Amino acid sequence: MGTGTVLLVVLAVLAAGGVMGTLVRAGRREAEAEKLRLAEQARVQALRSMEAIWLLGDREFEEYVAELCRRDGCTEVRRVGGANDLGADVIGRLPDGRKIVVQCKRYAKHRTVGSPDLQKFNGTVRDEHGADVPLFVASCKFTKQARAFAARRGLALFDVDLLGFWNGGTTLTALLDLDIGRSGTNRKLTPDS
């Protein structure tokens, strides 16, 4: 073997080593990106579990509802809840441009939301916030009186059952098209043991 051939073999080995190093680094980056993607997917799926929702704090629940709105194509979505929020926890625009104002109540599953909460919401949702679509989302049931009040005032109610469907992937607009006044049950769920 001549020196030219040896030089070519050495250069080929060095080039192959460089290519292998680049491929290994790219593989590591790809594996890390996949690991992050799987972790995010697991986080989203965990939140889709109603048990996980009942464990959220009030502010986290509002953020999660805002995220569900964004997932379903709402724009200008922002969480505005807190002291002196005048009944609005999440505000945004539906895909068709209508303004949606959401009141969120993350209660234990055995509790209920009564008509006084809905009366307060109804008193501000249109006049103060200019809602086209007033939506009250609760992690529990609404009382019979609350449902009747909401039907008379044109308030959309998502109880624990509809929240479960929304959480599971049914779109916001599909759920808003339901006759909310006739859906669901007033039966309380049993408390955790």
Side-chain angles (χ1 to χ4, degrees), residues 1-188:
M1 256 194 341
T3 48
T5 306
V6 170
L7 186 58
L8 282 177
V9 169
V10 168
L11 286 174
V13 168
L14 288 175
V19 168
M20 289 301 289
T22 300
L23 290 174
V24 167
R25 284 188 300 278
R28 284 183 186 146
R29 281 191 305 269
E30 199 171 316
E32 187 61 31
E34 179 66 4
K35 188 172 155 184
L36 291 173
R37 187 189 70 74
L38 289 173
E40 176 62 14
Q41 183 180 15
R43 185 190 72 79
V44 168
Q45 291 207 335
L47 277 177
R48 287 197 170 143
S49 155
M50 289 304 296
E51 292 298 327
I53 288 174
W54 284 311
L55 295 175
L56 294 175
D58 294 341
R59 183 181 209 114
E60 293 170 310
F61 182 60
E62 293 166 4
E63 289 289 350
Y64 187 63
V65 168
E67 202 50 48
L68 288 173
C69 289
R70 288 184 196 99
R71 178 202 74 190
D72 291 344
C74 294
T75 58
E76 301 174 31
V77 177
R78 64 192 193 284
R79 191 197 70 75
V80 295
N84 302 316
D85 64 15
L86 296 174
D89 293 321
V90 177
I91 295 176
R93 296 245 172 229
L94 291 168
D96 64 9
R98 292 179 294 160
K99 186 174 185 178
I100 186 168
V101 177
V102 185
Q103 171 68 44
C104 303
K105 289 291 182 203
R106 197 238 6 111
Y107 287 157
K109 63 183 171 182
H110 65 278
R111 296 212 27 214
T112 57
V113 175
S115 67
D117 286 325
L118 294 179
Q119 291 168 20
K120 288 181 205 171
F121 180 57
N122 185 60
T124 59
V125 70
R126 291 183 181 94
D127 291 341
E128 290 291 329
H129 301 293
D132 298 312
V133 179
L135 172 61
F136 200 112
V137 177
S139 61
C140 58
K141 297 289 187 173
F142 292 93
T143 65
K144 185 176 182 179
Q145 296 82 4
R147 286 182 175 286
F149 179 84
R152 288 192 310 273
R153 299 292 189 253
L155 304 175
L157 303 182
F158 283 15
D159 67 4
V160 64
D161 297 327
L162 290 179
L163 177 58
F165 284 115
W166 191 20
N167 188 42
T170 303
T171 65
L172 173 61
T173 52
L175 291 169
L176 287 172
D177 288 339
L178 295 174
D179 183 356
I180 304 296
R182 295 187 196 169
S183 68
T185 175
N186 304 315
R187 269 191 342 230
K188 290 182 183 182

